Amino acid sequence: MKFYCNYLLYFMFIIAIVSCKKPYNPPAITSTNSYLVVEGVINSGSDSTTIKLSRTVNISSATGVNPEKNAIVTVESDAHNSYPLVETSSGNYAAAGLNLDITRKYRLSITTVDNQQYLSDFVAVSTTPPIDSVGFIIQTNGLQLYVNTHDPNNNTRYYRWDYTETWQFHAAYYSQYISDGQQIAPRTSSQLIFTCFTSDISSNIVLGSTAKLKQDVIYQNPLITIASTSEKIETEYSILVHQYALTGDAYNFWVNLKTNTEQLGGIFDAQPSSINGNIHKVNNASEPVIGYISAC
């Protein structure tokens, strides 16, 4: 009898817990807000300046990419000089090497197709030291790629990297023949599809800081880990790494963005927080704009 009563109480307790669970759909899932997202840096040297504009989408939306098209994008200096960027593809705006005067400050001006204007704060040009080397460490589960750099003048202190990967791999099966719908013929050398190439760009935020060190030296800062079973290292692999010098404010923005996008989901992770960049809507400063414009 005692066993039966304990079992009945336990069963009723489980029913009570299950019956108390209710689905919760936060307002953000169905929000109609579409905020501007600005990605890129002002390159003061001979390389291109590329800015990507897009709009946020709802979590429940079937569309993952929402480019901001037909905008007017210019780089402006505090000496009232202007450098236009041209839309090269949907939402991507670029200009060839601007070769800017690094003693001046610069900002980004954006006017959307519906005549809404956005301005970033004026920022000084940071001189990025060269990358010393890119290498790898063989681990039990794959390869750890890293980057080394240093600033002999101890002026940089804050760094960010992104990269483009390219690798060669083989198809699952080797095809020696091809059909034109009527007959089967041997493939020519230009029709062979067993050996393939593909590329990908970085999606994670890679940062480094020497602010707490005596010397401005970055040693083996992790870039990416490639699993030992990945097709990336099946035959040949290449990585092109870009390095950017950041200000303290820009570094804090990227740390916050990394925390909000890559380090959430567990019960012990940090709570989401607001991401404040240096880009503002001219006629509505309270509207969020996601992004931080640096010049380097």
Side-chain angles (χ1 to χ4, degrees):
M1 185 66 180
K2 182 178 180 180
F3 172 79
Y4 175 77
C5 291
N6 290 339
Y7 179 79
L8 182 60
L9 290 172
Y10 176 76
F11 183 71
M12 293 176 65
F13 177 71
I14 294 298
I15 292 178
I17 292 178
V18 173
S19 63
C20 290
K21 293 175 63 176
K22 294 182 179 180
Y24 171 67
N25 295 318
I29 293 179
T30 57
S31 172
T32 58
N33 293 324
S34 181
Y35 300 125
L36 184 67
V37 181
V38 184
E39 302 174 72
V41 299
I42 298 172
N43 193 323
S44 64
S46 58
D47 203 354
S48 300
T49 292
T50 302
I51 302 295
K52 180 180 179 180
L53 302 182
S54 60
R55 291 280 177 175
T56 59
V57 296
N58 294 332
I59 296 176
S60 58
S61 173
T63 302
V65 179
N66 185 16
E68 181 69 26
K69 305 176 183 178
N70 303 319
I72 300 173
V73 182
T74 56
V75 174
E76 299 176 348
S77 75
D78 59 359
H80 306 293
N81 295 318
S82 181
Y83 308 87
L85 277 64
V86 177
E87 187 171 14
T88 56
S89 59
S90 296
N92 292 292
Y93 303 81
L98 299 177
N99 296 303
L100 303 174
D101 180 358
I102 62 173
T103 64
R104 314 301 308 191
K105 292 184 177 181
Y106 298 90
R107 70 180 180 185
L108 193 68
S109 172
I110 302 167
T111 303
T112 59
V113 70
D114 58 351
N115 205 33
Q116 300 299 310
Q117 188 176 14
Y118 300 82
L119 292 173
S120 68
D121 298 335
F122 278 108
V123 293
V125 176
S126 300
T127 301
T128 305
I131 294 175
D132 292 332
S133 62
V134 175
F136 64 89
I137 300 173
I138 300 177
Q139 300 177 333
T140 56
N141 61 340
L143 293 180
Q144 172 72 71
L145 276 71
Y146 62 80
V147 60
N148 294 324
T149 189
H150 76 286
D151 183 356
N153 298 317
N154 290 336
N155 290 330
T156 305
R157 295 299 181 182
Y158 301 102
Y159 299 84
R160 183 175 71 87
W161 298 271
D162 60 29
Y163 52 84
T164 301
E165 301 173 281
T166 302
W167 62 94
Q168 180 186 22
F169 65 98
H170 292 149
Y173 302 98
Y174 186 83
S175 173
Q176 294 180 304
Y177 300 92
I178 189 171
S179 172
D180 61 3
Q182 296 181 349
Q183 60 182 356
I184 298 176
R187 290 182 182 272
T188 65
S189 59
S190 62
Q191 295 171 330
L192 294 177
I193 56 174
F194 179 66
T195 299
C196 310
F197 290 88
T198 190
S199 295
D200 196 12
I201 59 175
S202 54
S203 58
N204 57 323
I205 299 172
V206 184
L207 303 170
S209 172
T210 63
K212 297 182 179 180
L213 303 179
K214 184 177 181 180
Q215 293 182 318
D216 196 351
V217 177
I218 295 286
Y219 179 68
Q220 293 190 354
N221 191 88
L223 289 171
I224 184 176
T225 299
I226 303 176
S228 58
T229 56
S230 173
E231 70 175 17
K232 291 182 180 181
I233 50 177
E234 174 187 321
T235 306
E236 292 184 348
Y237 174 86
S238 173
I239 186 170
L240 174 63
V241 183
H242 298 93
Q243 179 169 282
Y244 308 92
L246 301 176
T247 62
D249 289 339
Y251 178 79
N252 290 333
F253 167 83
W254 286 104
V255 167
N256 194 10
L257 184 62
K258 183 179 181 69
T259 301
N260 279 357
T261 57
E262 299 179 14
Q263 300 172 357
L264 295 176
I267 60 175
F268 298 109
D269 290 331
Q271 293 295 312
S273 57
S274 61
I275 303 174
N276 298 319
N278 66 345
I279 311 167
H280 317 281
K281 190 173 184 179
V282 172
N283 62 352
N284 185 7
S286 62
E287 179 179 309
V289 181
I290 301 173
Y292 196 105
I293 293 298
S294 300
C296 61

